[in-house]
């Protein structure tokens, strides 16, 4: 069983995430390769694709959403993602227990106490009547049916428990920091096809193609599913096995290629909630524990970052017409120049006009 260095794991992740070099694959192919793109804020998946695809333009993703080839909905870890339509049909039923678990949390349970879950979902789907309705209107109608309860929370529970997709306007490029009013439609109505669930083994293979080599806990952290150890054990004969620098077992597809650990890694600006940072329980292959505290200050926040030599070296933000770079430690002149060049290339895509460079901020471990 081969032991892989931290650098080897870093280059493997970057290669599978298309961050060692931009690709000529189509946006639909890239979204499929990455399984899904986290998309709480509609703009961020556009930046993630820009970082991975030669000449990517906003219209390419917008058209996919409008043509119903890509959808936005709750998926992995009960969070909003963009996924290819066929992948959504296959993955959402498999991941439904994760969303149901979220719907049973205290936030929802307090509001729906005493209600029959199946009846609540059936009422929600009845009110949607197979069409598109705003969350606000769905909430209002549910509150009418269930006086004394918060309709917004009821609508959120219905959206977790039933596969609903967001209207394209919700997921397309828009104003930074502003979320459009979400409208939802039953997925099978929107797509014109039924759900067609895959197995957990299929999901594990897809995960490894995008994030491997990795451990069972990594798959679980990424997907939100639990108790995958027995399934991984059953797949043992078809997988390749490695160890990480701490001796933990890693699995991978038998035919997966590993890049040379000495492969150069270009500077890349990543969006908030980028796949590359969220695909593992142990994220040290791309971000140190100290930097993770700064980039992920709370469960609901993952700041935009930039990579230098394959690792998170700082964050960036848009402030008016300025793209502001904030390194966490001093950069050599050659890396600073490469970072500024990449930021300049991003300016027209995000509608900014200039780059500002903050002084490095020290990160202290607790």
């Amino acid at each position: 069983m081969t032991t892989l260095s931290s650098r080897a794991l870093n280059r493997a992740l970057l290669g599978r995430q298309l961050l060692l070099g931009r690709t000529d694959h189509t946006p639909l192919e890239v979204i499929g390769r990455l399984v899904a793109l986290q998309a709480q804020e509609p703009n961020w998946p556009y930046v993630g694709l820009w970082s991975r695809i030669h000449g990517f333009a906003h219209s390419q993703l917008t058209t996919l959403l409008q043509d119903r080839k890509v959808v936005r909905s709750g998926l992995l870890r009960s969070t909003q993602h963009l996924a290819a339509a066929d992948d959504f049909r296959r993955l959402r039923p498999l991941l439904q227990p994760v969303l149901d678990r979220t719907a049973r949390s205290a936030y929802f349970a307090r509001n729906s106490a005493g209600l029959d879950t199946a009846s609540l979902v059936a009422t929600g789907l009845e009110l949607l009547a197979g069409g598109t309705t705003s969350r606000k209107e769905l909430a209002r109608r549910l509150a009418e049916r269930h006086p004394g309860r918060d309709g917004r929370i009821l609508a959120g529970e219905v959206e977790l428990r039933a596969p609903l997709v967001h209207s394209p306007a919700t997921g397309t490029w828009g104003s930074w920091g502003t979320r459009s009013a979400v409208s939802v439609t039953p997925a099978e109505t929107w797509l014109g096809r039924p759900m067609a669930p895959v197995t957990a083994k299929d999901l594990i293979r897809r995960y490894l193609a995008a994030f491997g080599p990795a451990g069972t806990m990594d798959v679980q952290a990424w997907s939100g599913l639990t108790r995958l150890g027995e399934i991984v054990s059953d797949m043992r004969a078809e997988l390749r096995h490695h160890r990480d620098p701490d001796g933990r077992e890693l699995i991978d597809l038998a035919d997966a290629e590993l890049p040379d650990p000495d492969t150069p890694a270009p500077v890349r600006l990543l969006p908030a909630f980028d796949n590359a940072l969220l695909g593992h329980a142990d994220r040290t292959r791309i971000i140190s524990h100290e930097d993770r505290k700064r980039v992920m200050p709370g469960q609901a926040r993952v700041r935009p970052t930039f990579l230098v030599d394959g690792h998170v070296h700082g964050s960036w933000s848009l402030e008016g017409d300025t793209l502001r770079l904030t390194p966490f430690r001093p950069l050599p002149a050659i890396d600073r120049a490469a970072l500024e060049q990449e930021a300049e290339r991003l300016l027209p895509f995000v509608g900014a006009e200039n780059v500002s460079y903050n002084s490095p901020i020290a990160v202290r471990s607790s």
Side-chain angles (χ1 to χ4, degrees), residues 21-324:
R22 285 184 168 90
T23 182
D24 290 321
H25 288 304
T26 67
L28 186 60
E29 290 170 336
V30 170
I31 293 169
R33 177 187 175 115
L34 301 179
V35 187
L37 298 178
Q38 196 155 332
Q40 281 96 324
E41 175 64 49
N43 290 336
W44 291 125
Y46 286 82
V47 178
L49 293 174
W50 178 89
S51 296
R52 292 169 165 88
I53 300 173
H54 286 296
F56 174 73
H58 301 99
S59 60
Q60 293 175 283
L61 178 54
T62 298
T63 298
L64 290 173
L65 288 160
Q66 293 171 340
D67 290 348
R68 308 188 186 195
K69 293 180 179 179
V70 168
V71 297
R72 182 175 186 250
S73 182
L75 199 61
L76 299 158
R77 304 180 301 280
S78 297
T79 53
Q80 306 303 321
H81 279 75
L82 294 185
D86 284 340
D87 281 342
F88 181 79
R89 292 173 50 240
R90 298 181 181 111
L91 297 177
R92 173 66 188 245
L94 177 66
L95 296 168
Q96 189 58 50
V98 181
L99 290 98
D100 289 341
R101 187 171 67 230
T102 301
R104 291 193 299 270
S105 66
Y107 174 75
F108 294 99
R110 284 192 298 266
N111 190 60
S112 59
L115 292 181
D116 178 73
T117 296
S119 295
L120 173 62
V121 174
T123 299
L125 293 175
E126 174 195 336
L127 294 172
L128 289 170
T132 299
T133 302
S134 70
R135 275 179 178 167
K136 184 177 180 180
E137 179 62 14
L138 178 60
R140 185 188 69 78
R141 294 178 184 178
L142 285 169
E144 287 180 348
R145 294 285 188 96
H146 302 287
R149 301 179 191 268
D150 189 325
R152 294 172 304 164
I153 299 176
L154 292 177
E157 183 170 350
V158 170
E159 193 171 334
L160 284 167
R161 293 189 181 276
L164 307 181
V165 300
H166 299 175
S167 63
T170 302
T172 52
W173 185 265
S175 300
W176 288 97
T178 300
R179 298 185 183 186
S180 303
V182 174
S183 293
V184 293
T185 308
E188 292 185 348
T189 300
W190 182 257
L191 299 175
R193 287 163 289 172
M195 298 291 105
V198 295
T199 67
K201 290 182 179 180
D202 294 322
L203 181 66
I204 290 167
R205 295 183 190 105
R206 292 287 300 278
Y207 169 81
L208 292 173
F211 297 94
T216 302
M217 295 300 293
D218 294 315
V219 188
Q220 294 184 164
W222 168 79
S223 67
L225 292 170
T226 57
R227 301 176 182 175
L228 295 180
E230 184 176 339
I231 296 172
V232 170
S233 294
D234 193 48
M235 299 172 66
R236 188 170 186 84
E238 73 173 76
L239 300 174
R240 184 183 299 164
H241 300 268
H242 304 280
R243 292 199 183 278
D244 73 7
D246 295 321
R248 291 171 294 205
E249 184 175 3
L250 305 175
I251 55 174
D252 202 6
L253 299 176
D255 59 353
E257 296 183 3
L258 296 177
D260 186 326
D262 293 328
T263 302
V267 167
R268 285 290 182 263
L269 277 78
L270 301 182
F273 301 101
D274 191 81
N275 278 30
L277 271 65
L278 298 175
H280 301 84
D282 178 5
R283 300 169 184 172
T284 54
R285 68 185 68 195
I286 193 168
I287 185 169
S288 69
H289 291 305
E290 293 77 13
D291 290 348
R292 181 173 174 175
K293 295 171 188 175
R294 182 174 292 279
V295 170
M296 306 173 192
Q299 289 187 345
R301 296 187 65 189
V302 182
R303 293 188 171 113
T305 59
F306 60 81
L307 306 180
V308 175
D309 192 27
H311 290 80
V312 170
H313 208 101
S315 62
W316 63 275
S317 60
L318 283 173
E319 300 175 15
D321 63 357
T322 299
L323 192 158
R324 192 174 302 279

